Amino acid sequence: HSSPDESEDQDLISGFLRIVDKVWFLKCQHVISCIRQGIMCLVLFFQNHIIYCHIVTGGSNHANDRNKWAFSFNVCDLRSITVKCEGWSYITFRLKDGTALPAIHFHQGGSTAFLDSLRKLVQINESPDDESVLIVSTYSRAFSQSFENLLDDTNYGFVQKFKKDPYTTTLGGFSKVTNYLFDAFRVPELEYHQRPAEEEEPGFEVITRLDLGPRPEVQRRGPVAMEEWAKYQDSEGRITNVPHLKDVIFKGGLCHAVRREAWKFLLGYFPWNSTHEERKLLQKRKTDEYFRMKLQWKSVSEDQEKRNSRLRDYRSLIEKDVNRTDRNNKFYEGLDNPGLILLHDILMTYCMFDFDLGYVQGMSDLLSPILFVMENEVDAFWCFVSFMDEMHENFEEQMQGMKTQLIQLSTLLRLLDLDSGYLYFCFRWLLIRFKRELHFQDVLRFWEVMWTRLPCQNFHLLVCCAILDSEKQKIMDRKYGFNEILKHINELSMKLDIEEILIKSEAICMQIKNCKDLPHSVSEILGLNTVTEPSAALETSEYGILESPQTSPRSTHRQDHVVFNGHSHLKESTHNGCKVAFIS
């Protein structure tokens, strides 16, 4: 209706609604699911459904007036639908940004059929406050299935599935998807380059080829042994000279005997300046909190679970993943392995800790090394929580963390004169921090080095650059096309030398830091020359002043120190809104 009121002279504007599915994305599902890095396209586009409102125009004279009522939006951006009836049904869409679109009137019926079609794509639940309002949630099994395809080891056996030239036969459609993906990531940059210089807007920066100067040589040292670790503790157990300790961990990693204790500090579970006694009290509180949450899902009856589809889905995914996570590792091999039981229980308890996220495939890969090192259910859980604080956005439905990292990596690749198209192959590297690319012991070494937050922010992006830089000449000399590059990068899995990679990554970091005319965007990505707030905790290392890495802004648990009577005491605050909501 041209007017929201009931005036007699208002126009009734005819049109139709269409839910458009990018069908060819889904047709690529089976071929793409056999390609390790290529699954990123499924993850990003499984829910790429667009709702269009088309207007039927009565003639050219009225076309412009009527077309102003047309609209379109992505289903993922839909927050709610208001459904009312005044002789006929009409619905109003409200988007997540607060925009309310014009009401759509179904004078000849059809509103129920439209909503039924929409329910196939999203969850629609009646609002508890207003029965005329339907709340839309874009959670779906398809999203989790996309991660399953990405991380499913059985899907990696594509040579067995496609015995004759699998790369050539499968990548025709895949290249179209990845080109679309990459173009989507580069929209702001392309728009910027197309504008005349006088129309340039702030916030975009052209990265021209820079002379970065020579790449310095760097040396690594041996891992920190138990005797050396003990020297950094005072008589009450506080860690002293933390910046220097982080330096030596970055330079050489840790002996395995040290990891169980040191990782708790690196991940923020233990505060660096806590005493032995304070840590014992903290562990006691955290043990009680953990088992309270564990009891929640343990006490859910079969009848209750039948009415909780999300919990059923989480449990199903977890059980499926646990049975195939690191089964070649002695800690997890064999049937009825106690390590598998702990892996399952920790992941289920995390669903109680963060029920909004719950479980997404790939998270078991992040937990497995932590549990292997801790050999303790409670300590492994809280260290995993700290790691997930950092990795959370990688697994959220909008995958903003992955999008941001791919854009940042593209910027760094261009700076280093590497083909930005290589970022297609880095998706899984970033998603689970090289867990599937490195041998298990090398994963432990890389993660503990990464957790020092040295020598810059986003060091893992430079690790991607180092690997691609090492392979660049071979790819150029052999004149590989897209298919050959994909095959070559995939075959690097389990063949990477972690020490060589870390040396090259650090050298690239030093080379970039030494550049005088470094683009501002690069400085922001790597956290170089950033001004911190006076209240921020600062650390000094051989790499300069760094902001002390505590838990991330979205952290749901926090440990603070208060000082009274001349002594430092731990004060813990928690936020378990999801847990309380679930119990009620």
Side-chain angles (χ1 to χ4, degrees), residues 85-154:
C85 185
E86 295 182 0
W88 58 81
S89 296
Y90 68 92
I91 64 176
T92 304
F93 300 110
R94 184 172 294 275
L95 306 184
K96 290 179 179 177
D97 64 4
T99 302
L101 298 174
I104 304 297
H105 297 256
F106 292 80
H107 286 267
Q108 298 176 354
S111 61
T112 301
F114 173 79
L115 292 173
D116 288 344
S117 297
L118 195 57
R119 284 189 174 93
K120 296 176 182 178
L121 309 177
V122 294
Q123 276 190 313
I124 299 179
N125 299 306
E126 189 175 288
S127 169
D129 302 320
D130 186 345
E131 62 181 13
S132 68
V133 176
L134 302 176
I135 305 299
V136 177
S137 170
T138 51
Y139 168 84
S140 72
R141 290 188 179 93
F143 178 69
S144 292
Q145 182 66 34
S146 64
F147 275 103
E148 177 181 354
N149 291 336
L150 170 64
L151 298 165
D152 189 345
D153 281 325
T154 61

XYZ file of all heavy atoms in Angstrom, residues 85-154:
553
model
N -3.227 -9.511 10.618
C -4.351 -9.815 9.734
C -5.436 -8.766 9.908
O -5.881 -8.495 11.025
C -4.906 -11.211 10.056
S -6.198 -11.760 8.925
N -5.832 -8.166 8.789
C -6.940 -7.201 8.787
C -7.829 -7.516 7.588
O -7.902 -6.761 6.634
C -6.404 -5.767 8.714
C -5.601 -5.348 9.944
C -5.143 -3.904 9.850
O -5.456 -3.253 8.833
O -4.467 -3.436 10.786
N -8.450 -8.680 7.627
C -9.205 -9.138 6.461
C -8.304 -9.932 5.532
O -8.753 -10.822 4.824
N -7.061 -9.568 5.482
C -6.017 -10.303 4.760
C -4.753 -10.206 5.608
O -4.656 -9.373 6.511
C -5.794 -9.695 3.364
C -5.407 -8.252 3.407
C -4.177 -7.723 3.633
C -6.277 -7.132 3.250
N -4.210 -6.362 3.635
C -5.493 -5.967 3.393
C -7.661 -7.003 3.001
C -6.028 -4.683 3.300
C -8.185 -5.727 2.893
C -7.380 -4.588 3.046
N -3.808 -11.052 5.316
C -2.557 -11.040 6.076
C -1.576 -10.040 5.479
O -1.551 -9.837 4.255
C -1.913 -12.436 6.074
O -2.733 -13.370 6.739
N -0.810 -9.418 6.350
C 0.315 -8.619 5.855
C 1.492 -8.800 6.805
O 1.322 -9.043 8.003
C -0.063 -7.151 5.666
C -0.344 -6.373 6.927
C 0.675 -5.660 7.562
C -1.634 -6.304 7.455
C 0.417 -4.915 8.698
C -1.898 -5.567 8.592
C -0.870 -4.869 9.214
O -1.124 -4.130 10.345
N 2.680 -8.717 6.227
C 3.901 -8.941 7.010
C 4.851 -7.775 6.839
O 4.852 -7.091 5.805
C 4.603 -10.263 6.616
C 5.085 -10.205 5.167
C 3.705 -11.461 6.825
C 5.869 -11.451 4.757
N 5.653 -7.556 7.874
C 6.672 -6.502 7.852
C 8.008 -7.118 8.264
O 8.095 -7.799 9.287
C 6.318 -5.363 8.828
O 5.008 -4.863 8.505
C 7.338 -4.238 8.722
N 9.028 -6.885 7.443
C 10.369 -7.366 7.757
C 11.130 -6.298 8.548
O 11.099 -5.115 8.186
C 11.165 -7.662 6.484
C 10.547 -8.703 5.601
C 9.983 -8.368 4.380
C 10.520 -10.031 5.988
C 9.417 -9.319 3.559
C 9.965 -11.005 5.176
C 9.401 -10.648 3.953
N 11.814 -6.699 9.598
C 12.722 -5.798 10.321
C 14.120 -6.414 10.292
O 14.308 -7.569 10.667
C 12.275 -5.569 11.760
C 13.156 -4.553 12.502
C 12.570 -4.204 13.865
N 11.307 -3.491 13.745
C 11.217 -2.170 13.576
N 12.313 -1.417 13.498
N 10.034 -1.594 13.512
N 15.098 -5.623 9.843
C 16.462 -6.110 9.701
C 17.253 -5.917 10.992
O 16.816 -5.204 11.909
C 17.165 -5.404 8.540
C 16.441 -5.468 7.186
C 17.290 -4.805 6.104
C 16.119 -6.907 6.806
N 18.404 -6.525 11.058
C 19.219 -6.471 12.277
C 19.736 -5.071 12.572
O 20.065 -4.759 13.709
C 20.400 -7.445 12.156
C 19.969 -8.898 12.206
C 21.142 -9.850 12.072
C 20.668 -11.292 12.143
N 21.786 -12.255 11.950
N 19.831 -4.228 11.546
C 20.272 -2.854 11.792
C 19.134 -1.942 12.215
O 19.314 -0.730 12.357
C 20.969 -2.285 10.549
C 20.031 -2.180 9.347
O 18.825 -2.474 9.485
O 20.511 -1.811 8.252
N 17.936 -2.508 12.427
C 16.788 -1.727 12.873
C 15.867 -1.258 11.772
O 14.784 -0.733 12.044
N 16.266 -1.441 10.515
C 15.446 -0.991 9.395
C 14.151 -1.792 9.303
O 14.167 -3.024 9.339
C 16.216 -1.143 8.068
O 17.431 -0.400 8.148
C 15.385 -0.648 6.896
N 13.022 -1.071 9.205
C 11.720 -1.708 8.986
C 11.319 -1.476 7.528
O 11.207 -0.332 7.079
C 10.675 -1.142 9.932
N 11.134 -2.540 6.780
C 10.794 -2.428 5.361
C 9.284 -2.250 5.190
O 8.506 -2.547 6.108
C 11.272 -3.679 4.631
C 12.790 -3.893 4.681
C 13.168 -5.235 4.063
C 13.528 -2.773 3.964
N 8.838 -1.776 4.035
C 7.398 -1.560 3.821
C 6.602 -2.849 4.018
O 7.066 -3.943 3.695
C 7.331 -1.092 2.355
C 8.686 -0.540 2.071
C 9.643 -1.359 2.866
N 5.404 -2.706 4.562
C 4.545 -3.872 4.794
C 4.149 -4.495 3.464
O 3.894 -3.806 2.479
C 3.311 -3.463 5.584
N 4.108 -5.822 3.439
C 3.701 -6.563 2.244
C 2.324 -7.177 2.520
O 2.165 -7.962 3.450
C 4.716 -7.685 1.925
C 6.125 -7.107 1.785
C 4.301 -8.431 0.663
C 6.282 -6.139 0.636
N 1.322 -6.809 1.721
C -0.055 -7.252 1.922
C -0.381 -8.401 0.977
O -0.145 -8.309 -0.228
C -1.033 -6.092 1.682
C -0.845 -4.963 2.647
N -1.701 -4.731 3.703
C 0.109 -3.984 2.717
C -1.284 -3.670 4.383
N -0.184 -3.201 3.794
N -0.937 -9.475 1.532
C -1.295 -10.657 0.741
C -2.809 -10.669 0.555
O -3.532 -11.398 1.247
C -0.818 -11.925 1.444
C 0.686 -12.073 1.503
C 1.427 -11.387 2.454
C 1.354 -12.882 0.601
C 2.797 -11.515 2.521
C 2.730 -13.021 0.653
C 3.461 -12.338 1.614
N -3.314 -9.881 -0.372
C -4.755 -9.773 -0.571
C -5.359 -11.077 -1.062
O -6.539 -11.352 -0.820
C -5.064 -8.658 -1.575
C -4.896 -7.288 -1.007
N -5.932 -6.589 -0.453
C -3.793 -6.495 -0.882
C -5.487 -5.408 -0.017
N -4.190 -5.340 -0.270
N -4.565 -11.878 -1.776
C -5.080 -13.127 -2.336
C -4.426 -14.341 -1.679
O -4.359 -15.412 -2.269
C -4.849 -13.153 -3.851
C -5.581 -12.024 -4.560
C -5.280 -12.001 -6.056
O -4.455 -12.759 -6.535
N -5.969 -11.126 -6.776
N -3.951 -14.184 -0.455
C -3.339 -15.287 0.266
C -1.881 -15.498 -0.140
O -1.347 -14.801 -1.009
N -1.268 -16.466 0.505
C 0.108 -16.804 0.160
C 1.122 -16.512 1.249
O 2.282 -16.920 1.150
N 0.702 -15.806 2.301
C 1.659 -15.460 3.359
C 2.156 -16.711 4.085
O 3.343 -16.814 4.425
C 1.027 -14.492 4.360
O -0.101 -15.074 4.989
N 1.264 -17.650 4.319
C 1.671 -18.878 5.021
C 2.668 -19.669 4.193
O 3.674 -20.181 4.713
C 0.439 -19.747 5.327
O -0.466 -19.002 6.139
C 0.850 -21.015 6.058
N 2.418 -19.781 2.891
C 3.338 -20.519 2.016
C 4.716 -19.845 1.984
O 5.750 -20.521 1.977
C 2.761 -20.606 0.603
N 4.714 -18.514 1.983
C 5.995 -17.799 1.977
C 6.776 -18.078 3.264
O 7.972 -18.376 3.228
C 5.750 -16.294 1.826
C 7.000 -15.481 1.983
C 7.918 -15.375 0.945
C 7.291 -14.845 3.186
C 9.082 -14.644 1.097
C 8.446 -14.116 3.349
C 9.348 -14.016 2.299
N 6.102 -17.998 4.399
C 6.775 -18.241 5.678
C 7.254 -19.682 5.779
O 8.322 -19.953 6.336
C 5.846 -17.893 6.837
C 5.519 -16.402 6.992
C 4.463 -16.204 8.074
C 6.780 -15.600 7.326
N 6.462 -20.625 5.237
C 6.896 -22.023 5.239
C 8.174 -22.193 4.428
O 9.068 -22.952 4.805
C 5.790 -22.925 4.679
C 4.618 -23.080 5.645
O 4.798 -22.756 6.842
O 3.533 -23.496 5.197
N 8.275 -21.493 3.313
C 9.500 -21.562 2.507
C 10.680 -20.985 3.269
O 11.794 -21.513 3.228
C 9.301 -20.798 1.189
O 8.294 -21.398 0.412
N 10.424 -19.893 3.986
C 11.503 -19.243 4.729
C 11.982 -20.117 5.876
O 13.172 -20.110 6.223
C 11.008 -17.889 5.255
C 12.068 -16.900 5.751
C 13.085 -16.593 4.654
C 11.404 -15.613 6.225
N 11.070 -20.887 6.467
C 11.442 -21.758 7.591
C 12.425 -22.854 7.176
O 13.097 -23.439 8.016
C 10.189 -22.395 8.195
C 9.374 -21.452 9.066
C 8.262 -22.186 9.808
N 7.571 -21.307 10.738
C 6.465 -20.624 10.441
N 5.930 -20.745 9.222
N 5.902 -19.837 11.333
N 12.491 -23.136 5.901
C 13.453 -24.137 5.432
C 14.883 -23.605 5.500
O 15.834 -24.382 5.451
C 13.124 -24.542 3.995
C 11.768 -25.224 3.847
C 11.463 -25.514 2.384
C 10.081 -26.144 2.229
N 9.741 -26.397 0.800
N 15.025 -22.300 5.608
C 16.342 -21.680 5.587
C 16.785 -21.190 6.952
O 17.986 -21.133 7.238
C 16.348 -20.487 4.614
C 15.816 -20.762 3.210
C 15.810 -19.481 2.405
C 16.658 -21.823 2.521
N 15.834 -20.804 7.799
C 16.172 -20.209 9.089
C 15.219 -20.738 10.151
O 14.155 -21.287 9.845
C 16.090 -18.665 9.044
C 17.146 -18.072 8.137
C 14.701 -18.209 8.603
N 15.621 -20.553 11.393
C 14.724 -20.858 12.508
C 13.814 -19.661 12.750
O 14.285 -18.525 12.847
C 15.525 -21.151 13.773
C 16.011 -22.584 13.886
C 16.571 -22.867 15.258
O 17.356 -22.092 15.770
N 16.194 -23.981 15.849
N 12.520 -19.910 12.851
C 11.546 -18.853 13.125
C 10.754 -19.254 14.358
O 10.079 -20.292 14.359
C 10.611 -18.624 11.920
C 11.412 -18.204 10.687
C 9.561 -17.586 12.255
C 10.573 -17.978 9.447
N 10.845 -18.432 15.408
C 10.158 -18.725 16.663
C 9.285 -17.537 17.065
O 9.639 -16.380 16.825
C 11.166 -19.011 17.783
C 12.033 -20.204 17.474
O 11.541 -21.277 17.184
N 13.349 -20.007 17.503
N 8.153 -17.848 17.671
C 7.245 -16.791 18.109
C 7.854 -16.041 19.281
O 8.422 -16.630 20.196
C 5.916 -17.414 18.516
C 4.816 -16.405 18.773
C 3.480 -17.081 19.057
O 2.878 -17.634 18.111
O 3.073 -17.074 20.231
N 7.760 -14.718 19.261
C 8.289 -13.908 20.346
C 7.475 -14.150 21.612
O 6.239 -14.182 21.566
C 8.231 -12.418 19.978
O 8.512 -11.612 21.104
N 8.140 -14.313 22.754
C 7.394 -14.521 24.005
C 6.614 -13.283 24.431
O 5.684 -13.378 25.229
C 8.500 -14.867 25.015
C 9.741 -14.260 24.442
C 9.598 -14.349 22.955
N 6.989 -12.112 23.908
C 6.336 -10.862 24.311
C 5.187 -10.451 23.401
O 4.306 -9.702 23.810
C 7.373 -9.731 24.351
C 8.513 -10.046 25.285
O 8.256 -10.612 26.363
O 9.668 -9.738 24.936
N 5.224 -10.921 22.132
C 4.215 -10.482 21.177
C 3.991 -11.610 20.176
O 4.877 -11.931 19.382
C 4.681 -9.210 20.459
C 3.603 -8.623 19.556
O 2.615 -9.330 19.265
O 3.767 -7.468 19.127
N 2.824 -12.231 20.204
C 2.577 -13.396 19.361
C 2.536 -13.041 17.882
O 2.626 -13.930 17.029
C 1.268 -14.073 19.768
C 0.036 -13.208 19.607
C -1.235 -13.923 20.043
O -1.117 -14.988 20.694
O -2.329 -13.407 19.733
N 2.424 -11.774 17.556
C 2.415 -11.380 16.142
C 3.819 -11.212 15.582
O 3.994 -11.015 14.379
C 1.637 -10.068 15.962
O 2.333 -8.988 16.553
N 4.822 -11.284 16.455
C 6.214 -11.089 16.022
C 6.935 -12.433 16.003
O 6.900 -13.189 16.973
C 6.964 -10.115 16.959
C 8.423 -10.001 16.552
C 6.284 -8.748 16.938
N 7.567 -12.729 14.879
C 8.362 -13.945 14.729
C 9.844 -13.569 14.762
O 10.283 -12.701 13.993
C 8.030 -14.649 13.410
C 6.557 -15.041 13.215
C 6.347 -15.639 11.827
C 6.109 -16.027 14.288
N 10.597 -14.193 15.650
C 12.026 -13.926 15.778
C 12.791 -14.872 14.857
O 12.555 -16.090 14.856
C 12.507 -14.108 17.237
C 11.662 -13.235 18.176
C 13.980 -13.765 17.361
C 11.743 -11.755 17.888
N 13.717 -14.321 14.097
C 14.454 -15.103 13.105
C 15.861 -15.385 13.624
O 16.552 -14.487 14.108
C 14.538 -14.352 11.758
C 15.363 -15.146 10.753
C 13.136 -14.096 11.217
N 16.265 -16.633 13.546
C 17.636 -17.026 13.872
C 18.207 -17.763 12.678
O 17.581 -18.676 12.148
C 17.676 -17.932 15.110
O 18.966 -18.476 15.280
N 19.406 -17.362 12.252
C 19.995 -17.989 11.066
C 20.830 -19.203 11.407
O 21.567 -19.706 10.602
C 20.864 -16.975 10.296
O 21.785 -16.360 11.210
C 20.026 -15.941 9.624
N 20.736 -19.678 12.666
C 21.391 -20.951 12.999
C 20.772 -22.068 12.164
O 19.565 -22.162 12.024
C 21.204 -21.277 14.479
C 21.589 -22.695 14.834
C 22.915 -23.012 15.089
C 20.636 -23.697 14.877
C 23.281 -24.310 15.401
C 20.992 -24.998 15.191
C 22.318 -25.299 15.453
O 22.669 -26.580 15.750
N 21.572 -22.910 11.603
C 21.049 -24.046 10.852
C 22.075 -25.153 10.784
O 23.252 -24.944 10.985
C 20.669 -23.621 9.425
O 21.827 -23.376 8.669
N 21.571 -26.341 10.484
C 22.481 -27.475 10.358
C 23.425 -27.280 9.188
O 24.535 -27.796 9.182
C 21.673 -28.763 10.167
C 20.909 -29.186 11.406
C 20.307 -30.564 11.210
N 19.588 -30.995 12.394
C 18.300 -30.815 12.581
N 17.583 -30.180 11.670
N 17.697 -31.242 13.677
N 22.976 -26.534 8.180
C 23.828 -26.340 7.006
C 25.134 -25.660 7.378
O 26.189 -25.968 6.832
C 23.084 -25.504 5.952
N 25.065 -24.728 8.318
C 26.280 -24.023 8.713
C 27.287 -24.968 9.349
O 28.460 -24.997 9.008
C 25.926 -22.904 9.684
C 27.127 -22.154 10.187
C 27.852 -21.343 9.345
C 27.530 -22.279 11.507
C 28.950 -20.659 9.807
C 28.622 -21.606 11.976
C 29.337 -20.786 11.125
N 26.802 -25.788 10.288
C 27.697 -26.753 10.910
C 28.184 -27.770 9.892
O 29.319 -28.219 9.948
C 26.985 -27.464 12.060
O 26.739 -26.571 13.115
N 27.315 -28.144 8.959
C 27.726 -29.107 7.948
C 28.856 -28.559 7.096
O 29.742 -29.291 6.658
C 26.531 -29.459 7.054
C 26.835 -30.510 5.992
C 27.154 -31.847 6.603
O 26.590 -32.184 7.639
N 28.030 -32.612 5.996
N 28.868 -27.241 6.887
C 29.945 -26.665 6.083
C 31.282 -26.837 6.775
O 32.297 -27.106 6.141
C 29.659 -25.183 5.816
O 29.651 -24.448 7.012
N 31.307 -26.680 8.095
C 32.542 -26.930 8.832
C 32.902 -28.412 8.769
O 34.057 -28.781 8.697
C 32.397 -26.500 10.289
C 32.680 -25.056 10.493
C 31.651 -24.159 10.675
C 33.980 -24.584 10.488
C 31.911 -22.817 10.865
C 34.235 -23.251 10.672
C 33.208 -22.362 10.866
N 31.869 -29.258 8.818
C 32.139 -30.696 8.760
C 32.852 -31.034 7.458
O 33.829 -31.777 7.436
C 30.823 -31.466 8.854
C 30.993 -32.967 8.719
C 29.661 -33.684 8.800
O 28.645 -33.011 9.076
O 29.640 -34.893 8.569
N 32.375 -30.473 6.353
C 33.022 -30.731 5.077
C 34.443 -30.207 5.052
O 35.343 -30.812 4.481
C 32.217 -30.076 3.946
C 30.891 -30.765 3.724
O 30.735 -31.928 4.057
N 29.926 -30.046 3.176
N 34.635 -29.062 5.682
C 35.962 -28.459 5.702
C 36.954 -29.316 6.448
O 38.095 -29.465 6.052
C 35.882 -27.075 6.367
C 37.219 -26.399 6.687
C 37.972 -26.117 5.401
C 36.985 -25.122 7.463
N 36.525 -29.908 7.567
C 37.457 -30.557 8.479
C 37.364 -32.070 8.479
O 38.078 -32.735 9.216
C 37.212 -30.027 9.898
C 37.460 -28.531 10.012
C 36.865 -28.004 11.308
C 38.931 -28.220 9.937
N 36.490 -32.631 7.673
C 36.273 -34.064 7.695
C 37.421 -34.771 6.992
O 37.636 -34.610 5.797
C 34.948 -34.382 6.981
C 34.553 -35.829 7.163
O 35.411 -36.633 7.571
O 33.385 -36.149 6.893
N 38.164 -35.573 7.737
C 39.291 -36.285 7.156
C 38.848 -37.233 6.044
O 39.580 -37.473 5.091
C 40.021 -37.089 8.237
C 40.936 -36.206 9.062
O 41.506 -35.279 8.483
O 41.071 -36.440 10.275
N 37.641 -37.788 6.176
C 37.200 -38.726 5.148
C 37.025 -38.021 3.812
O 37.220 -38.612 2.759
C 35.879 -39.389 5.553
O 34.871 -38.375 5.708
C 36.023 -40.131 6.868
